[in-house]
Amino acid sequence: MSENQQHTLMDKIISLSKQRGFIFQSSEIYGGLKSAYDYGPLGVELKRNIMNEWWRSMVHERENIIGIDASIIMHSKVWHASGHLAGFSDPLVDCLISKERFRADKAPQPKLGDELPILCMDKGQAKSFQEIIKKRFNVELKRNGKKLEGLKVISNDSFGFFTDDSNTPLETFQFKGYVSPTFGSPFLSEERQFNLMFRSQIGPVDVLNEISSFINKSEKINEKEIRSGIDEIIKKSAVYLRPETAQAMFVQFQNCQQSMSMKIPFGIAQMGKSFRNEITVEHFIFRSCEFEQMEMEFFVEPGTQKKWLEYWRDARMNWWQSLANNPNKFRYRPHEKDELAHYADACYDIEYEYPWGYDELEGVASRTDYDLKKHEEHSGSKLSYFDQQKQDPETGKNGWRYTPYVIEPAAGATRGLLVYLLDAYHEEKIPNSDGSESSRVVMKFHPKIAPIKTAVLPLVKKEGLPEIARDIVSKFFKAGINARYDEQHSIGKRYRRHDEAGTPYCITIDGQTKEDGTVTIRDRDSMKQERMNAENVVDIIQKKLSLS
Ligand code: ATP
């Protein structure tokens, strides 16, 4: 697709979203808030339908998955344990090899002449880090068991790569004066004073008072000291808007497992709002600061994670495709070793072909036992599972206590909504009765997610037709089907409007209805109209919806 076409399709979606009431710019009358969006009358239905379908397929249709709805604001220790809270006023750095994120000011600081061994978890990781370093920095470090060797600090701001028989470095790199705490890696990103989480304060204490008296009392302290003093004050009552829904499922693992007597393998699912102060917000609702996620943590026995990762990768892919017109636009992308977070042993992205190219829609990650272990370590609570039926592989005795491994399918609900808007958008030429052609825009949503399931349209606003139409609408309401009464404008305009809203069926009440009790049902996609008895219309639509 050319760049022009990409823009046009996104522009058309953005404009249709506003016109038809799917998505509006937040606070538009005040000039709009960048990267925040409001879901309008049709958007809220579409979003709920997508999320309800997800819930149905993940929770209601599976005996081994249970749901929770946790609070958005959690104890700040949760974010310490998960690693999200590495620092606010502190410089953050990422290790380019392991993806470990850490505070630069707390990192180990090797001295001039020190060797810089990279210390891996195991030999496999050593091999993979060796390959990543070779690919990105063009030096092949020597593997010595779990260690990678050959790097040494050669000045305050440089380190070199040496082989066994060389005294002068074969390659030099910029040294930041510190290495990553877990792996000792000197291959690091630039420092950033930034945290993706939105911070607020909880409780009755007025931090502004404390801060102003701290500044008032402080004499001759530099800017850095003021910053860290203020940070200490703020930290005491700081709370954060969750940047993902996942952590609550780890923190509530024990409560969920015990209250519902769940046996491994089992999952905990949650959907809801997440917040990230994204540096780059882009492509309409694709990346925004406030968005909705649909995540599930599936707890499995160590050693079975590969099988379950593949299972969930396929199950999730099938789900996205089952609601789409174009299943070919979805694909998997396995993560390269150098892309994997240091705690993950494998990951697939489910990608969609957006107008700008393939990009992420959902991540399905094998997260090992990292999350439960981290929360166990930070909280002091046991987050393990006891399987009476299994033998402990180490002792050979009956009964095995272990920390479960986790497979996490993490999807964006609002990103999914964008995908289904793009997938549904069709422009078609249609023949007029006089032989000429006109065009229509039709949103071919899967009926399960279509915002309005059926519109009931009296041909004219008189002669008793509105009363008959309203009576039919109330029958739909009783049957739990989202129907809409619509009498504004000519019938042709109303059909066009409901094509753009993606309403699968329009029911028209006309003069003949009064004579023989029949109505027409118009199919959105084929535009074919069938006449049938008004008495049966709710049953017929119900059947059509359940078959689709
Ligand atoms: P990306 O690489 O696109 O930033 P991520 O890998 O950080 O996403 P995860 O943390 O894995 O995302 O979150 C799971 C899903 O949540 C993503 O696949 C995406 O669909 C959705 N998501 C994440 N960040 C945003 C955002 N800022 N706006 C909308 N959806 C998002």
Side-chain angles (χ1 to χ4, degrees):
M1 203 181 274
S2 74
E3 203 164 306
N4 234 354
Q5 281 170 313
Q6 292 180 25
H7 284 150
T8 15
L9 180 56
M10 276 310 272
D11 292 345
K12 284 174 180 170
I13 293 285
I14 293 169
S15 137
L16 179 102
S17 290
K18 178 172 166 161
Q19 266 172 24
R20 283 287 152 253
F22 285 100
I23 301 165
F24 307 125
Q25 178 70 62
S26 159
S27 323
E28 192 184 287
I29 59 167
Y30 288 100
L33 179 64
K34 194 167 161 258
S35 96
Y37 296 93
D38 294 345
Y39 291 81
L42 295 188
V44 63
E45 299 292 341
L46 179 60
K47 177 148 71 79
R48 283 190 185 169
N49 291 344
I50 294 170
M51 294 175 82
N52 288 342
E53 276 306 308
W54 181 87
W55 192 260
R56 198 165 63 77
S57 91
M58 297 297 272
V59 182
H60 290 173
E61 289 180 357
R62 294 174 192 271
E63 62 179 75
N64 61 352
I65 300 190
I66 48 181
I68 60 166
D69 183 14
S71 58
I72 286 173
I73 296 173
M74 300 172 75
H75 199 298
S76 58
K77 284 186 179 166
V78 170
W79 308 114
H80 278 288
S82 68
H84 286 92
L85 202 52
F88 257 89
S89 63
D90 315 305
L92 291 185
V93 182
D94 291 321
C95 165
L96 300 175
I97 312 304
S98 66
K99 298 279 156 69
E100 181 184 12
R101 178 168 295 171
F102 60 94
R103 276 176 66 167
D105 57 337
K106 299 269 173 177
Q109 300 179 349
K111 309 245 163 2
L112 190 66
D114 282 356
E115 304 261 346
L116 298 175
I118 298 185
L119 309 162
C120 308
M121 303 286 185
D122 51 44
K123 287 186 184 169
Q125 191 177 50
K127 187 159 183 286
S128 112
F129 282 6
Q130 185 193 37
E131 282 165 15
I132 296 167
I133 293 167
K134 176 139 197 285
K135 202 161 122 199
R136 291 191 66 167
F137 301 98
N138 207 20
V139 290
E140 185 156 1
L141 300 191
K142 188 176 153 197
R143 260 192 294 135
N144 180 3
K146 294 196 276 183
K147 246 195 269 177
L148 294 177
E149 297 173 337
L151 302 175
K152 197 193 280 185
V153 184
I154 50 174
S155 76
N156 284 345
D157 56 8
S158 63
F159 68 91
F161 167 64
F162 300 79
T163 49
D164 281 347
D165 47 4
S166 66
N167 290 325
T168 46
L170 300 183
E171 202 59 72
T172 57
F173 302 92
Q174 198 207 6
F175 182 49
K176 293 197 154 20
Y178 51 84
V179 292
S180 70
T182 309
F183 302 95
S185 157
F187 296 107
L188 305 171
S189 73
E190 291 305 314
E191 290 179 13
R192 289 174 295 112
Q193 276 188 332
F194 188 71
N195 193 301
L196 280 181
M197 284 198 293
F198 286 98
R199 177 169 59 186
S200 189
Q201 306 299 130
I202 200 164
V205 181
D206 182 356
V207 279
L208 285 185
N209 268 347
E210 279 196 52
I211 292 171
S212 44
S213 82
F214 161 73
I215 295 175
N216 207 18
K217 274 191 244 149
S218 322
E219 278 173 33
K220 289 196 197 130
I221 61 170
N222 63 31
E223 202 182 322
K224 205 169 166 212
E225 288 162 334
I226 295 181
R227 251 189 104 94
S228 74
I230 294 176
D231 193 44
E232 283 307 313
I233 295 169
I234 289 179
K235 253 190 217 159
K236 287 187 279 180
S237 57
V239 285
Y240 306 88
L241 299 186
R242 67 181 177 203
E244 58 177 38
T245 56
Q247 294 304 319
M249 274 94 87
F250 300 126
V251 172
Q252 295 294 3
F253 165 78
Q254 206 74 277
N255 279 335
C256 289
Q257 190 264 319
Q258 287 172 0
S259 61
M260 299 298 283
S261 308
M262 300 306 286
K263 290 211 161 24
I264 276 189
F266 77 92
I268 309 177
Q270 174 167 225
M271 51 190 195
K273 294 246 174 173
S274 291
F275 304 82
R276 293 184 195 175
N277 194 3
E278 296 277 9
I279 311 168
T280 39
V281 283
E282 53 185 352
H283 304 310
F284 194 31
I285 56 168
F286 175 80
R287 190 183 309 285
S288 48
C289 287
E290 178 176 340
F291 55 101
E292 300 221 35
Q293 289 187 304
M294 310 182 290
E295 298 194 290
M296 195 271 294
E297 309 303 323
F298 196 69
F299 300 96
V300 305
E301 194 181 300
T304 64
Q305 67 271 28
K306 188 167 179 292
K307 171 183 97 181
W308 285 113
L309 177 68
E310 283 163 13
Y311 171 85
W312 282 111
R313 178 197 65 186
D314 295 345
R316 295 299 309 134
M317 175 63 107
N318 290 340
W319 185 82
W320 286 112
Q321 289 179 321
S322 72
L323 295 172
N325 294 290
N326 273 312
N328 296 340
K329 288 205 160 206
F330 297 79
R331 72 168 191 198
Y332 301 126
R333 192 180 62 79
H335 276 208
E336 298 285 333
K337 278 184 185 155
D338 58 353
E339 239 185 306
L340 280 178
H342 63 90
Y343 50 76
D345 61 10
C347 184
Y348 288 92
D349 279 351
I350 295 178
E351 296 189 330
Y352 180 74
E353 193 179 4
Y354 299 91
W356 59 92
Y358 276 102
D359 214 332
E360 181 174 336
L361 168 61
E362 171 161 358
V364 187
S366 173
R367 300 178 63 102
T368 68
D369 55 1
Y370 176 84
D371 306 276
L372 289 179
K373 282 247 167 83
K374 276 279 162 202
H375 284 297
E376 196 168 77
E377 196 184 298
H378 283 251
S379 67
S381 303
K382 267 249 155 293
L383 296 176
S384 57
Y385 177 80
F386 185 67
D387 190 336
Q388 279 174 333
Q389 317 294 329
K390 289 267 156 72
Q391 264 189 1
D392 186 322
E394 270 175 27
T395 62
K397 288 193 182 138
N398 277 347
W400 182 22
R401 180 167 288 286
Y402 59 85
T403 307
Y405 272 44
V406 172
I407 306 299
E408 176 193 78
T414 40
R415 202 175 278 185
L417 188 148
L418 175 62
V419 163
Y420 286 131
L421 281 175
L422 290 164
D423 174 78
Y425 188 89
H426 287 75
E427 282 174 18
E428 289 177 353
K429 292 263 173 267
I430 47 171
N432 296 323
S433 48
D434 62 2
S436 62
E437 265 192 344
S438 52
S439 57
R440 71 164 183 160
V441 167
V442 51
M443 296 300 283
K444 295 191 177 176
F445 293 120
H446 191 291
K448 281 187 179 151
I449 59 170
I452 301 169
K453 307 299 180 200
T454 183
V456 186
L457 321 171
L459 191 60
V460 289
K461 283 192 240 178
K462 51 188 183 190
E463 294 157 15
L465 303 191
E467 288 73 15
I468 302 175
R470 286 203 163 94
D471 184 49
I472 293 178
V473 170
S474 71
K475 288 187 179 130
F476 276 112
F477 289 166
K478 271 193 199 121
I481 293 171
N482 187 23
R484 193 145 187 92
Y485 173 80
D486 191 350
E487 60 173 27
Q488 288 306 326
H489 303 119
S490 72
I491 193 73
K493 275 197 178 158
R494 276 180 274 168
Y495 285 152
R496 284 300 93 80
R497 189 157 65 227
H498 281 283
D499 285 344
E500 290 185 11
T503 308
Y505 306 104
C506 283
I507 295 165
T508 308
I509 319 301
D510 53 18
Q512 202 179 323
T513 313
K514 286 203 331 195
E515 286 163 24
D516 62 9
T518 61
V519 296
T520 62
I521 300 184
R522 173 185 181 269
D523 181 279
R524 176 195 67 197
D525 299 347
S526 68
M527 292 187 296
K528 287 212 174 94
Q529 304 202 15
E530 291 173 85
R531 263 208 112 77
M532 37 198 88
N533 199 319
E535 293 288 304
N536 305 331
V537 85
V538 173
D539 281 352
I540 290 167
I541 295 289
Q542 211 156 25
K543 260 197 206 108
K544 282 181 186 283
L545 291 172
S546 68
L547 287 177
S548 53

